Amino acid sequence: MAVMAIHFDTGQKTAMSLSHRELADLVAELAAVLPGARLDKISAPQPACAQLLFGDRVLLIDLTPGQARLHLVDAKLPAPPTPPAWVMKARKEIQGLALSAVGTEPNDRIVRLEFQATPRRPARSLRAELFGVRGRLLLLEVNRSTATFHRVRIRHLRIIQILPKTTYVNDVPRVSAARQ
């Protein structure tokens, strides 16, 4: 559920992104129920959303500008019959892997979903950057001491770019730290 803001001058309610503290509380709850679960399917029910199915649990990551958030939902949302290219890439890289950990970056609105390596596939980290004008979803290959990633950028609510084997740097400029 999105956090609601009430504008004092108009009384109008609008959804807004989660703060770091709210996100940390949510991630603590997710960390109690999701680790060890296998990622059964990933889909995109809407252009700026990723839906991850872990058994009977459905994790929704919404990167809609001004409403970036993630949470468990009660039911799977319908997805388009033909998935976007980024979903196909994510399925190839992480579908079927077990989730080993859920966490946040210190003092930031970045959520990490860590997936265990298998004999045939390396460990992966799916990072949701839930800040800025447009959130980002990043798929990282985790090596011994570095993280490289397949970067998935959202522009105008569409995935536009995947850059392989680039060192991960949190390079999104901050507009305001007021919601931290």
Side-chain angles (χ1 to χ4, degrees):
M1 171 160 49
V3 175
M4 299 302 289
I6 300 174
H7 297 276
F8 291 104
D9 54 344
T10 64
Q12 183 179 6
K13 293 181 181 179
T14 58
M16 56 192 280
S17 299
L18 297 171
S19 72
H20 170 69
R21 279 183 240 124
E22 293 161 334
L23 199 55
D25 290 343
L26 175 62
V27 166
E29 291 179 20
L30 294 176
V33 296
L34 287 181
R38 186 176 83 99
L39 178 59
D40 295 320
K41 188 168 186 179
I42 184 167
S43 61
Q46 297 173 5
C49 291
Q51 177 174 250
L52 287 71
L53 280 65
F54 297 95
D56 61 349
R57 299 188 192 277
V58 181
L59 179 64
L60 184 69
I61 302 172
D62 187 351
L63 300 175
T64 303
Q67 299 178 35
R69 64 193 186 282
L70 82 157
H71 51 93
L72 291 174
V73 293
D74 293 330
K76 177 182 156 188
L77 300 172
T82 305
W86 73 267
V87 169
M88 298 302 290
K89 175 67 175 170
R91 286 178 180 172
K92 178 182 173 189
E93 298 291 333
I94 60 174
Q95 191 165 296
L97 296 180
L99 185 68
S100 58
V102 180
T104 60
E105 293 294 323
N107 300 316
D108 216 336
R109 293 184 308 212
I110 299 174
V111 176
R112 297 182 326 272
L113 301 174
E114 306 292 342
F115 292 91
Q116 293 176 350
T118 67
R120 294 185 178 190
R121 293 196 281 178
R124 298 281 192 228
S125 179
L126 186 66
R127 302 214 179 171
E129 294 181 345
L130 304 172
F131 55 81
V133 176
R134 295 177 187 90
R136 297 192 306 181
L137 194 58
L138 305 153
L139 180 59
L140 291 78
E141 179 179 325
V142 181
N143 296 328
R144 289 183 207 114
S145 61
T146 63
T148 59
F149 70 99
H150 302 281
R151 181 185 210 159
V152 182
R153 283 191 178 198
I154 304 261
R155 182 180 293 163
H156 305 295
L157 305 183
R158 288 188 18 207
I159 305 297
I160 62 158
Q161 190 174 15
I162 299 174
L163 303 172
K165 305 296 181 187
T166 307
T167 302
Y168 173 70
V169 177
N170 180 5
D171 60 354
V172 175
R174 297 297 197 278
V175 175
S176 169
R179 294 266 308 141
Q180 303 285 331

